[in-house]
Amino acid sequence: LAKTTQPISMDSYEGQEVNITCSHNNIATNDYITWYQQFPSQGPRFIIQGYKTKVTNEVASLFIPADRKSSTLSLPRVSLSDTAVYYCRHAGNNRKLIWGLGTSLAVNP
Amino acid sequence: DVKVTQSSRYLVKRTGEKVFLECVQDMDHENMFWYRQDPGLGLRLIYFSYDVKMKEKGDIPEGYSVSREKKERFSLILESASTNQTSMYLCASSLAGTDEFQPQHFGDGTRLSIL
């Protein structure tokens, strides 16, 4: 049974780099891994997507090892406004989308 | 920017009522989705649609139905509301193509309370 696991919560301080790891034990061969950010009273918002190795955009980096059974979202130099819930998502071998339960990141001053 | 608009931010209804949640997207996306979000359970897919007048069941379709008469609008219907349907409901849309490749764009949700 495909499952996506991520830590329930993390704490950090302003200016630090934060890494959130998601494990996906049954990811489909051609599947992409997508990360979303959600603020209170808002819907999730797309952050970054990747297939393998490393992807970087203006807000985050995504690291995916060769076996693709995990992925790590990296947020450089977080600020208070990065306090949010972060979700990873992929499709399993039956092509159904599988969402993690979310990691609640608290950034402290 | 893609805009997905849900008709109500907060809604209070009574048990047994028929409830309609409306969602409109303005970017001509082919795919539309309805999720519910509950503490500790994450996002769970109720129904989705790849085209007008087309619908597919998600993971938890029981007690719900959907309607997609126009490309930009996707409605979620609670046939006879029950208290266990109290939840945050999120609508999303995406471009055509298999789901795993296309990012989804979400509305800000409707917090529905069934009394």
Side-chain angles (χ1 to χ4, degrees), chain A residues 38-58:
Chain A
Q38 186 178 24
F39 297 113
S41 301
Q42 294 184 22
R45 183 174 68 103
F46 170 84
I47 302 175
I48 197 166
Q49 183 179 63
Y51 180 76
K52 61 181 179 180
T53 62
K54 179 183 175 182
V55 177
T56 297
N57 62 20
E58 62 277 7

Side-chain angles (χ1 to χ4, degrees), chain B residues 68-106:
Chain B
R68 192 159 181 208
E69 297 295 319
K70 293 185 178 182
K71 189 176 184 180
E72 67 271 18
R73 187 179 297 269
F74 194 34
S75 303
L76 179 69
I77 304 154
L78 285 66
E79 298 292 343
S80 177
S82 64
T83 55
N84 62 12
Q85 292 178 309
T86 291
S87 185
M88 170 70 85
Y89 289 87
L90 290 161
C91 175
S93 71
S94 68
L95 286 167
T98 49
D99 294 326
E100 57 263 38
F101 301 126
Q102 297 293 350
Q104 292 176 334
H105 301 263
F106 285 83

Side-chain angles (χ1 to χ4, degrees), chain B residues 13-77:
Chain B
K13 296 291 182 180
R14 296 211 172 271
T15 303
E17 280 193 70
K18 191 169 186 176
V19 181
F20 293 85
L21 301 183
E22 306 288 344
C23 175
V24 177
Q25 50 94 5
D26 66 357
M27 283 300 290
D28 205 34
H29 282 176
E30 289 77 11
N31 304 335
M32 296 190 75
F33 308 82
W34 274 106
Y35 291 88
R36 64 177 283 179
Q37 185 175 38
D38 300 287
L41 297 178
L43 286 154
R44 293 183 291 168
L45 182 64
I46 305 172
Y47 266 97
F48 59 100
S49 169
Y50 288 137
D51 203 351
V52 175
K53 295 193 185 294
M54 200 240 115
K55 61 185 179 185
E56 294 282 345
K57 292 180 180 179
D59 298 319
I60 52 164
E62 296 78 18
Y64 303 94
S65 62
V66 290
S67 173
R68 192 159 181 208
E69 297 295 319
K70 293 185 178 182
K71 189 176 184 180
E72 67 271 18
R73 187 179 297 269
F74 194 34
S75 303
L76 179 69
I77 304 154

